[in-house]
Amino acid sequence: MKTFCSVWLLLSLVELSPAPPASQEPPLACTGAPDPAPPQPETAEDMASTGDLEPTHYPARRAAQVALHYLNTHHGSPFRVFGLQQVHKASAEDVAAGGRKYKLDFSVTDWGSGSAGPALRCSADVLFPRTERHSAPKVELHCEALQQINSTAQEDDAFYQKYISPDSTVSARDIPDSFGNMSEEMQPFWRLARVAASFIMLRESSENTEFNMAKVASITQQESSEEQLMLEFVVLLHDFPSQEIVQWKLLASWSPDRGVRVLQTEWQPRCPHATKPPN
Amino acid sequence: FATILHFGKLEAHSYIRIHNFMKLREYILCTKITKIMTLLNDFFSSVSNSPVDVHMGWNKTQWLRRHLRQAHIHYKVLISNLQTEIEKQIGYRSSRKRRSEFQYDYEVYHPLEEIRSWMFEMNRTHPHLVDLFSIGQSYEGRPLYVLQLGKRTRPFKKAVWIDCGVHAREWIGPAFCQWFVKEALNSYQHDSSMRRLMNQLNFYIMPVFNVDGYHYSWKTDRFWRKTRSKIPKYHCRGVDANRNWKVKWCDEGASLHPCDDTYCGPFPESEPEVKAVAKFLRKHRKRVKAYISIHAYAQMLLYPYSYKYATIPNFNCVESAAQNAVSALYSAYGVRYRYGPASTTLYVSSGSSIDWAYKNGIPYAFAFELRDTGYYGFLLPETLIHPTCTETMRAVKTIASGLLKKCTK
């Protein structure tokens, strides 16, 4: 068992070194002389033991964040993004098929209203598969009273009506800007980007990652299709353990009825000397 | 003037000097805020490049200042209270010592040059409480300034070290260090707890640890984290200044690859910034009783170990200090911080400054991860500087106060 853990940890540590995310074929990287191969880090002991986990420690929190990403992909909207408030209970166990399953009891809030807003109690099973190539975690989630929280239907509809018109060509960069400023008009677009980014963050997550969206680099409205708002986003994601900023371009659709769907995603290299996303 | 005083106090009036009125015009036209247009109607036809002085009542001043901050247009408030100025002119003796007209906005993020001027100004205007000195030079040759705060009474006072901006993109850090200094100096007279701290302790404040990186995050890449040192044979630059300390260096949670954001460097203390601070703390190790490093984001208060899952020998005292600090922080606005050893609470990392400080004999070594929890992340809005700094101030004061008592846990 210990050998297996060590080998698995070695593999996952290798995946963390500078390279495109695990689920992508390496694209053509930035030009320049190839760097000497980095030396391999040594293996480390696995902290999390099977059984009850400390809810304030990072293994439980990372699993809860994955459940949050899942929640946002299903219930996020231009006027609602959920954030983690607290993990109450957590446990983990290795699974026969080769993976680790976390059982979580946690609370979430509507992130916009901060700690002032009402908290929703949720429970989730998060399974991190252990396969040779990375595959997305599997989440089963149940939140109490999800339907009872204040509906944003009115704002959703007003927003939809405003931007579904054929003349609408929203285009913006740097949301928020370096000083944290974000205009009120841009906030629903930021939330949509955050929800769309949740699809990517969910898919790319492992026990060794903890993702957040650092910023929306750009928003470009595309021609509406099948009564869906079509938006192309370039988002910057931040991963805690590696502290890396990862750039993704994605195409998403949204309508009040269908919610957010992500149609295309493309990892983009962040060349050291360039700050603008490559075209 | 005598006639005016006879009829009661004047309404507080301000002149705002706007340096780049052209930029303000552009902002007004782009954002279409008609209220500003009407307010500044008289100046609108102005096309000259000289600064414009605008005069209005207090409420309007605050409102305009907010917009100027948002547009990042530099301004100066010239006369904040005509009454005070009149009283000064006719020789009215105020209990406050006459300070310069230097006005500094602690609720915006400042570029490196402004922080440097501010440090010199603090040193100049508070000679009995402040001493400014340099502990070395950054990779790109910038001085590494430290402010010593506290009454210069006894030579062997216990000391507290606070550094901010180890990681370039964590702008709320330097903002807090500046806030701390401002609060300490402004409240010395009327706040007995602060006065006691300043009398009995020395505070060493390093407002920007990673000066090169901070400058780079303003000029080129807002999300830059590391230093800016060149690495032989690689096209990437910079070392993670919180992985470069000589304690279990480059073990788990740090990277040997120079292009990575947690690159530990070619060897421990390879970074001149790290080396300078380590040298200073080694020199003063007998006096320094608390090491506090300010980071963002996550809303956490962390203590050793970062590199392993083990309990420190003085766990009871440190954990209790952390608990008190987090309670004090919570008392301001109800914001929750997690606290605990860095390795289990945040992640395992090696070569961190708190582990080194602790190993070096400093009994209380803390790393703060300030607001928020990921909504704005590194891009914390300037409007949140005030509450973040206010609550963090309470936590830091609590830790400092704890040093004045003996821990018997």
Side-chain angles (χ1 to χ4, degrees):
Chain A
M1 190 56 171
K2 188 152 182 198
T3 330
F4 173 79
C5 284
S6 307
V7 169
W8 175 81
L9 272 157
L10 182 65
L11 279 172
S12 56
L13 283 167
V14 166
E15 280 179 321
L16 271 182
S17 42
S23 60
Q24 287 261 336
E25 281 303 324
L28 279 168
C30 317
T31 54
D35 293 323
Q40 295 304 325
E42 289 186 302
T43 55
E45 280 173 25
D46 191 0
M47 170 179 80
S49 51
T50 296
D52 284 342
L53 300 175
E54 182 59 53
T56 55
H57 290 176
Y58 72 76
R61 192 182 59 243
R62 285 182 194 173
Q65 299 281 24
V66 170
L68 249 302
H69 294 319
Y70 179 88
L71 175 62
N72 280 320
T73 59
H74 281 73
H75 294 280
S77 77
F79 293 91
R80 173 145 293 131
V81 172
F82 291 100
L84 179 67
Q85 190 199 58
Q86 207 184 355
V87 179
H88 303 290
K89 281 207 308 262
S91 66
E93 58 178 5
D94 289 332
V95 161
R100 196 163 170 82
K101 184 190 255 194
Y102 289 73
K103 276 178 142 47
L104 306 157
D105 171 14
F106 58 101
S107 292
V108 306
T109 54
D110 180 351
W111 227 354
S113 41
S115 43
L120 276 184
R121 195 71 174 238
C122 299
S123 64
D125 282 1
V126 177
L127 170 65
F128 291 105
R130 284 176 190 176
T131 51
E132 238 178 67
R133 274 179 76 80
H134 173 86
S135 56
K138 293 188 178 48
V139 180
E140 277 168 39
L141 173 74
H142 173 73
C143 292
E144 289 173 358
L146 197 55
Q147 317 309 327
Q148 286 166 34
I149 47 169
N150 285 340
S151 164
T152 59
Q154 251 190 337
E155 297 112 306
D156 287 346
D157 277 330
F159 176 77
Y160 178 77
Q161 292 307 326
K162 184 170 178 188
Y163 293 104
I164 197 67
S165 93
D167 320 324
S168 178
T169 49
V170 174
S171 169
R173 299 188 62 87
D174 294 338
I175 295 136
D177 67 13
S178 289
F179 306 94
N181 296 319
M182 184 168 22
S183 72
E184 216 168 296
E185 196 199 352
M186 281 297 122
Q187 284 185 25
F189 289 101
W190 181 91
R191 288 190 204 103
L192 275 177
R194 180 58 174 76
V195 173
S198 300
F199 283 81
I200 300 175
M201 294 191 282
L202 173 62
R203 190 183 69 199
E204 299 300 319
S205 285
S206 73
E207 287 166 282
N208 299 313
T209 61
E210 199 171 338
F211 285 110
N212 255 309
M213 186 176 79
K215 169 166 125 162
V216 181
S218 71
I219 299 170
T220 320
Q221 184 172 11
Q222 310 291 304
E223 202 179 307
S224 303
S225 159
E226 293 171 25
E227 297 179 340
Q228 304 296 304
L229 275 186
M230 300 292 286
L231 296 160
E232 182 195 86
F233 296 111
V234 175
V235 297
L236 297 178
L237 306 180
H238 170 236
D239 172 47
F240 265 102
S242 67
Q243 288 293 342
E244 298 292 335
I245 302 285
V246 191
Q247 186 166 302
W248 284 88
K249 178 161 136 179
L250 59 108
L251 180 65
S253 71
W254 175 79
S255 70
D257 305 323
R258 287 228 315 235
V260 176
R261 304 226 175 147
V262 171
L263 309 161
Q264 284 168 34
T265 65
E266 181 193 320
W267 177 82
Q268 298 192 313
R270 275 188 104 222
C271 303
H273 36 276
T275 49
K276 305 230 182 314
N279 284 330
Chain B
F1 285 155
T3 322
I4 294 169
L5 283 176
H6 172 70
F7 283 110
K9 280 197 183 284
L10 282 175
E11 187 196 317
H13 267 62
S14 294
Y15 285 84
I16 294 186
R17 171 163 291 171
I18 298 163
H19 290 268
N20 194 341
F21 196 77
M22 302 297 274
K23 196 174 169 196
L24 176 60
R25 264 187 79 185
E26 183 190 54
Y27 174 79
I28 293 169
L29 293 170
C30 292
T31 54
K32 300 194 180 78
I33 300 174
T34 47
K35 195 167 166 187
I36 308 186
M37 275 193 232
T38 26
L39 208 59
L40 304 173
N41 203 26
D42 297 336
F43 304 95
F44 242 61
S45 52
S46 158
V47 289
S48 89
N49 269 329
S50 47
V52 162
D53 289 352
V54 185
H55 168 227
M56 61 193 63
W58 185 247
N59 283 337
K60 292 210 177 74
T61 303
Q62 294 298 80
W63 181 86
L64 180 62
R65 281 169 75 178
R66 211 169 42 240
H67 276 284
L68 291 172
R69 282 201 288 264
Q70 205 161 325
H72 229 75
I73 292 167
H74 286 255
Y75 66 92
K76 225 171 162 164
V77 177
L78 295 182
I79 301 167
S80 61
N81 193 318
L82 204 52
Q83 176 73 19
T84 313
E85 284 307 299
I86 292 169
E87 286 170 353
K88 279 182 196 165
Q89 287 203 22
I90 59 173
Y92 175 84
R93 298 233 336 271
S94 136
S95 57
R96 279 171 60 237
K97 238 203 297 204
R98 178 85 197 261
R99 302 243 183 271
S100 69
E101 259 179 25
F102 182 81
Q103 296 275 0
Y104 195 76
D105 193 341
Y106 291 91
E107 299 186 29
V108 295
Y109 296 117
H110 289 274
L112 194 60
E113 306 71 43
E114 287 178 12
I115 299 179
R116 184 188 161 133
S117 321
W118 165 83
M119 282 193 267
F120 277 87
E121 189 63 20
M122 291 298 104
N123 185 41
R124 187 183 79 80
T125 52
H126 299 83
H128 56 303
L129 286 175
V130 176
D131 190 27
L132 175 67
F133 54 91
S134 163
I135 57 170
Q137 271 196 344
S138 72
Y139 181 83
E140 291 177 340
R142 298 184 172 89
L144 299 171
Y145 287 119
V146 172
L147 286 161
Q148 180 186 294
L149 303 184
K151 210 144 174 68
R152 279 188 274 277
T153 46
R154 308 188 296 280
F156 295 112
K157 285 166 80 178
K158 287 184 187 171
V160 175
W161 168 277
I162 306 175
D163 62 52
C164 300
V166 166
H167 294 130
R169 58 194 179 199
E170 298 164 15
W171 286 11
I172 187 63
F176 173 72
C177 268
Q178 292 167 77
W179 187 280
F180 181 90
V181 171
K182 176 250 304 178
E183 271 304 304
L185 298 177
N186 285 357
S187 64
Y188 180 81
Q189 292 288 10
H190 63 265
D191 180 344
S192 59
S193 69
M194 183 58 87
R195 191 163 53 247
R196 191 171 66 243
L197 289 176
M198 294 276 268
N199 287 345
Q200 301 201 27
L201 299 168
N202 273 136
F203 288 90
Y204 293 108
I205 315 291
M206 190 171 189
V208 187
F209 184 109
N210 179 6
V211 284
D212 297 347
Y214 187 72
H215 181 256
Y216 191 76
S217 72
W218 271 79
K219 265 202 78 186
T220 311
D221 182 357
R222 178 61 176 83
F223 290 115
W224 189 257
R225 168 182 167 88
K226 302 187 287 181
T227 61
R228 290 293 299 161
S229 52
K230 288 204 185 85
I231 302 149
K233 292 190 288 175
Y234 288 88
H235 72 278
C236 299
R237 286 173 79 140
V239 168
D240 185 338
N242 208 24
R243 301 288 186 279
N244 191 239
W245 299 76
K246 199 170 173 181
V247 53
K248 212 64 154 107
W249 174 80
C250 224
D251 199 51
E252 210 193 320
S255 173
L256 280 160
H257 197 287
C259 293
D260 284 356
D261 263 318
T262 54
Y263 176 48
C264 54
F267 53 87
E269 293 184 24
S270 62
E271 302 312 282
E273 300 84 358
V274 172
K275 189 171 173 145
V277 173
K279 182 174 161 193
F280 180 88
L281 290 175
R282 268 192 288 263
K283 180 173 161 189
H284 297 274
R285 66 172 351 147
K286 287 204 166 67
R287 292 197 299 118
V288 178
K289 297 298 170 196
Y291 170 88
I292 299 173
S293 192
I294 307 291
H295 294 258
Y297 58 93
Q299 289 177 203
M300 291 178 182
L301 176 52
L302 307 168
Y303 48 83
Y305 300 104
S306 312
Y307 74 89
K308 64 177 176 181
Y309 307 118
T311 310
I312 46 177
N314 63 341
F315 171 79
N316 286 333
C317 287
V318 169
E319 204 260 0
S320 163
Q323 188 171 48
N324 293 338
V326 159
S327 296
L329 190 150
Y330 178 84
S331 73
Y333 303 101
V335 172
R336 282 182 213 278
Y337 270 53
R338 310 266 170 250
Y339 64 94
S343 56
T344 52
T345 313
L346 184 58
Y347 46 54
V348 169
S349 69
S350 52
S352 75
S353 67
I354 57 170
D355 284 355
W356 180 89
Y358 190 74
K359 185 180 131 190
N360 202 53
I362 297 173
Y364 295 90
F366 291 106
F368 275 86
E369 295 277 355
L370 300 186
R371 290 199 201 184
D372 58 15
T373 53
Y375 190 88
Y376 287 104
F378 298 118
L379 307 180
L380 195 70
E382 289 173 317
T383 47
L384 293 182
I385 292 178
H386 177 111
T388 305
C389 290
T390 300
E391 67 194 10
T392 308
M393 191 74 198
R394 293 192 188 189
V396 171
K397 279 179 77 177
T398 304
I399 292 171
S401 302
L403 298 178
L404 302 178
K405 298 182 273 233
K406 198 169 165 71
C407 177
T408 49
K409 286 189 187 273

